[in-house]
Amino acid sequence: MSSEPSQIRRDQAQESAPLLDVRDIVVQFGGLRALDHASLGVREGTITGLIGPNGAGKTTLFNVIAGYYEPRVGRVFLDGQDITALPPHRIFERGLCRTFQIPREHASMSVLENLMLVPSGQLGEGLFNSLFRPWRVREQEHEIEERAEGVLQFVELSHLKHEYAGNLSGGQKKLLELARTLMAEPKIVLLDEPGAGVNPALMERLVENIVHLNRERGTTFLIIEHDMDMIMRLCDPVIVMSQGRYLMEGPPEAVRNDPRVLEAYLGGQYAAAEG
């Protein structure tokens, strides 16, 4: 999936400060230290993979970055600004979106309505505009609907726009989650196990969409995924975590063959639950 433009972006990214900079994060759950001074950086314009054995702390780290957990120690910076103490909706407004292992769609709303809810600061949310500027509210709603229609066309869900989101298949819900992030026009998207429960055809569509967004719009991605084939053909660089810490980082092939990575996966010291 390499191309000259994407290679140029990777070269430029190596010369710049990280878009996402995670420094020395510690998270403790009772007697369990889920993150033990974890640090990593994600360069702008990359599709970065985040891998590690079950229990390595990957999802916990995502929750810290997105504002769902507050670390005991450490800071998170997005585009040079400290976002550590911000609630999730404020981090979202700064341009960071995340998805979940289990999609969190609004099941009783249509696919189209799920997308139209995303943009923040809509005029219809205020009583004054609803009462005294209803024409402007309608204009904005029409603009948002047109944008949502375009996003649904991009992810090939237009034929399901009036379907209840709760009726979609697992793979279709993953595409819907990606579509919802696009409505926010993010700087960086955190994808948590996008391939889990997705059939091969929808998986290929999902991968193509990620590559297109990265190459054509410059969207940065950080992806947790246990499907190593997907990680190795999609991501560069790949970051490895082990026991709540950063282990190493590099191109896919270097990571695949690194003895430290093999030991982390095969050493047998991990619990079955994801961190």
Side-chain angles (χ1 to χ4, degrees):
M1 292 189 179
S2 62
S3 69
E4 186 174 342
S6 61
Q7 181 62 52
I8 291 172
R9 270 203 305 278
R10 283 197 297 270
D11 293 343
Q12 291 172 339
Q14 294 301 319
E15 301 170 2
S16 62
L19 175 63
L20 178 66
D21 189 6
V22 179
R23 302 181 188 173
D24 201 37
I25 298 294
V26 174
V27 171
Q28 191 101 9
F29 299 121
L32 172 66
R33 179 161 288 193
L35 293 174
D36 188 11
H37 299 281
S39 299
L40 59 83
V42 178
R43 304 284 177 175
E44 185 175 8
T46 62
I47 304 176
T48 299
L50 180 60
I51 67 171
N54 288 335
K58 304 181 296 296
T59 295
T60 300
L61 185 62
F62 263 31
N63 284 329
V64 170
I65 294 169
Y68 292 95
Y69 295 162
E70 185 172 350
R72 292 181 59 184
V73 176
R75 314 302 295 174
V76 178
F77 295 86
L78 176 64
D79 208 7
Q81 297 190 358
D82 191 341
I83 62 170
T84 314
L86 296 180
H89 69 280
R90 293 298 181 199
I91 295 174
F92 173 83
E93 291 170 357
R94 297 287 181 95
L96 185 147
C97 296
R98 73 153 295 179
T99 65
F100 296 84
Q101 292 177 5
I102 301 174
R104 299 187 177 186
E105 75 285 349
H106 299 284
S108 61
M109 301 181 71
S110 73
V111 168
L112 181 63
E113 289 168 339
N114 267 261
L115 267 61
M116 292 183 66
L117 277 178
V118 173
S120 58
Q122 296 188 40
L123 296 175
E125 296 172 0
L127 182 60
F128 177 86
N129 289 315
S130 297
L131 290 177
F132 300 107
R133 302 176 64 198
W135 66 90
R136 184 64 190 102
V137 172
R138 288 193 297 270
E139 285 178 359
Q140 188 186 55
E141 285 181 348
H142 180 66
E143 292 167 3
I144 292 172
E145 183 175 0
E146 284 190 334
R147 190 164 135 219
E149 294 265 12
V151 170
L152 287 175
Q153 184 174 1
F154 173 72
V155 298
E156 300 182 37
L157 289 178
S158 294
H159 61 295
L160 296 170
K161 66 181 180 180
H162 296 305
E163 182 63 71
Y164 286 124
N167 293 339
L168 301 182
S169 70
Q172 290 167 341
K173 288 179 180 179
K174 291 292 180 74
L175 289 172
L176 176 59
E177 284 233 321
L178 180 61
R180 288 168 64 188
T181 67
L182 297 185
M183 288 296 292
E185 299 181 337
K187 297 176 183 177
I188 181 169
V189 179
L190 276 54
L191 297 178
D192 194 349
E193 300 250 27
V198 179
N199 69 49
L202 287 178
M203 169 73 86
E204 193 60 35
R205 190 189 308 174
L206 186 64
V207 168
E208 289 172 358
N209 288 342
I210 292 169
V211 171
H212 176 86
L213 291 168
N214 175 256
R215 291 179 178 174
E216 303 302 322
R217 297 192 189 181
T219 306
T220 303
F221 288 89
L222 178 61
I223 304 176
I224 293 174
E225 182 56 61
H226 285 294
D227 184 332
M228 288 298 103
D229 288 338
M230 178 181 176
I231 285 287
M232 293 300 162
R233 69 190 182 104
L234 179 61
C235 299
D236 187 1
V238 177
I239 299 171
V240 185
M241 289 184 65
S242 176
Q243 294 183 304
R245 295 183 178 185
Y246 172 98
L247 179 65
M248 63 94 61
E249 175 180 353
E253 281 306 314
V255 169
R256 184 197 297 268
N257 297 312
D258 192 287
R260 293 169 294 174
V261 177
L262 297 175
E263 172 61 24
Y265 273 94
L266 302 177
Q269 69 271 45
Y270 293 96
E274 166 58 41

